[in-house]
Amino acid sequence: MTSSALVAGLLAGICVAVGMLWLKRHRAGSPVLTLPRELRKARLLFAERLFTAAGQVAISARVDRAYRVASGAIVLLELKTRDIDRPYWSDVIELSAQRAAVELQTGEMVADHAYVTVQRPGGVEPSVHRVQLMPVSKVAALAARREAILSGKVSPSYARSAGVCRRCAFARSCEKISGKGGLHRTNATDVAPNAAHGSRPRQD
Amino acid sequence: MAAKKRVGRCRRGVGASDLAQMGVCERLVKFERHCGRRRTSDQLQAMDRGRRAHARFYLDRHDDGRSRDRCFVATLVFGEAPETRVLRRFRDQVMRPRPLGRGLIALYYRSGPKVCGFLERRPRLRPIVRWMLSGFASFAARWLEWQEHLHDQ
């Protein structure tokens, strides 16, 4: 063995040892995600990929991860960081929009369920929740309702959850506009009947 | 990357996260359109935490327990070369039978994807790592030869 190779080997060993120690420390607050059974043997297709689609609904969505499962369908996985370990209705909407964008851009079949992985602070192992997604027609209807709200044709509903209002940067303006502090008065919506951040979506 | 996702994500059509806000509060959607985005300090902290978590999530994308037979860094810098095969043999024949070796392998498979992600983003470092690993591979080859010699005796 040449002396140059010996020096390189020694340096590599030292670098590996230092790197591993650093990573061990660094990883202390980021426990490894355990994938749901369905995705363990699936192939990772996309990670942090942007999809845009114009058609039934003009939509763009960045997908955290998408896997190809044994059946050939694509299953989406979305990461959320929050204190409460549960998926919200907004997660279902976001994943449904992602599904629509992926389906419309690639023409491939995306499963009508997806997974939300919730990472809580404090180094707790992330949990994974399965959620049922909305059909593309409902995503399109929700996008149309949003446009109608923004153009002033439809009056927007309030959040149902008091927690959302407490944390909202517009809370004071909202009370002023509503004129009676009626933060929890809701307007019926046929698109998102449980349209509140704190509401729990249907899970399988 | 995650930051791009959260801030002003789309010019073409509605963004998925903008649409998701309809599930939080429809009034907030209208407020943000008219007054711009406002965030409380808690929300900014949470967003920052989310960005960091997404960056980690992206780097860990291959660390799902299915690539355990791969030698991440060696495959990245050498490809399927003789050095990679030697390192793999060294791992299986020298390290795996020993408890300390198994511990190091486990640690390596947890950190390997991160090291790969780091090297993917810094291609200039790859020749240095290649030089160091080739030195280590020749050391490993000698070790394996010596072991085989002992075994033959």
Side-chain angles (χ1 to χ4, degrees):
Chain A
M1 193 188 312
T2 63
S3 57
S4 157
L6 192 69
V7 171
L10 198 67
L11 271 174
I14 293 167
C15 285
V16 168
V18 170
M20 280 180 166
L21 277 173
W22 179 82
L23 282 163
K24 195 178 177 187
R25 231 180 202 193
H26 186 71
R27 287 190 69 95
S30 59
V32 177
L33 165 73
T34 306
L35 287 174
R37 190 181 293 271
E38 186 188 16
L39 301 185
R40 276 180 215 159
K41 287 186 179 172
R43 188 162 62 91
L44 179 69
L45 275 187
F46 311 114
E48 286 285 350
R49 176 81 67 92
L50 180 72
F51 292 88
T52 52
Q56 194 178 358
V57 53
I59 208 157
S60 71
R62 192 174 285 276
V63 170
D64 281 350
R65 284 190 198 174
Y67 290 87
R68 168 100 60 207
V69 293
S71 67
I74 295 173
V75 175
L76 304 173
L77 176 71
E78 174 78 5
L79 172 72
K80 292 289 168 195
T81 49
R82 57 175 67 122
D83 298 337
I84 300 165
D85 181 21
R86 72 179 209 208
Y88 290 147
W89 179 245
S90 56
D91 303 335
V92 175
I93 296 173
E94 186 167 5
L95 279 160
S96 304
Q98 288 178 9
R99 176 193 181 209
V102 174
E103 266 188 355
L104 292 169
Q105 187 182 314
T106 65
E108 297 217 50
M109 190 182 74
V110 182
D112 62 357
H113 67 274
Y115 293 93
V116 177
T117 174
V118 177
Q119 192 173 303
R120 284 173 290 163
V124 185
E125 188 177 332
S127 56
V128 182
H129 303 269
R130 182 180 157 128
V131 291
Q132 200 66 31
L133 303 183
M134 294 154 52
V136 177
S137 58
K138 283 209 169 182
V139 175
L142 191 63
R145 178 173 170 82
R146 183 175 176 277
E147 281 308 309
I149 286 169
L150 293 176
S151 60
K153 289 176 191 158
V154 174
S155 63
S157 66
Y158 294 85
R160 281 189 188 175
S161 160
V164 170
C165 298
R166 266 197 307 273
R167 290 187 295 268
C168 181
F170 293 96
R172 294 180 75 178
S173 315
C174 192
E175 281 173 355
K176 205 156 114 184
I177 284 173
S178 66
K180 47 186 168 184
L183 286 172
H184 305 112
R185 181 170 58 88
T186 53
N187 294 337
T189 160
D190 54 349
V191 177
N194 51 347
H197 196 55
S199 59
R200 187 188 284 270
R202 183 161 62 100
Q203 288 178 59
D204 295 329
Chain B
M1 203 167 292
K4 284 183 206 160
K5 177 180 175 180
R6 310 296 157 197
V7 184
R9 86 163 50 185
C10 91
R11 295 273 159 85
R12 283 171 283 179
V14 62
S17 56
D18 294 329
L19 199 59
Q21 212 172 29
M22 291 283 287
V24 179
C25 175
E26 290 183 355
R27 258 193 121 63
L28 180 62
V29 173
K30 193 155 188 177
F31 271 127
E32 289 201 342
R33 169 59 66 94
H34 293 293
C35 313
R37 288 195 171 175
R38 264 188 224 167
R39 296 282 182 261
T40 63
S41 58
D42 285 351
Q43 284 170 337
L44 288 172
Q45 276 177 15
M47 283 167 68
D48 190 44
R49 207 175 71 203
R51 270 187 216 113
R52 277 185 273 121
H54 272 84
R56 271 201 304 271
F57 194 61
Y58 179 71
L59 288 175
D60 289 347
R61 65 195 182 280
H62 296 300
D63 188 18
D64 52 9
R66 284 180 286 117
S67 345
R68 301 283 168 183
D69 287 337
R70 286 189 59 206
C71 192
F72 300 106
V73 181
T75 310
L76 180 76
V77 297
F78 297 121
E80 276 304 318
E83 286 90 344
T84 313
R85 287 193 287 275
V86 164
L87 290 171
R88 210 173 274 148
R89 273 180 59 211
F90 184 79
R91 175 198 65 192
D92 294 336
Q93 292 176 21
V94 179
M95 294 178 74
R96 214 185 283 281
R98 295 165 174 83
L100 179 65
R102 281 196 294 275
L104 282 172
I105 291 170
L107 194 58
Y108 176 70
Y109 278 111
R110 285 183 69 190
S111 54
K114 275 205 159 184
V115 177
C116 281
F118 182 78
L119 288 175
E120 272 172 6
R121 281 176 278 122
R122 290 166 184 81
R124 283 180 189 176
L125 284 180
R126 279 191 223 168
I128 301 167
V129 175
R130 193 178 295 128
W131 175 72
M132 289 198 297
L133 275 184
S134 60
F136 189 72
S138 81
F139 165 78
R142 286 290 174 125
W143 185 295
L144 289 167
E145 269 177 30
W146 175 67
Q147 269 209 332
E148 277 164 17
H149 178 68
L150 281 183
H151 186 72
D152 289 344
Q153 278 184 341

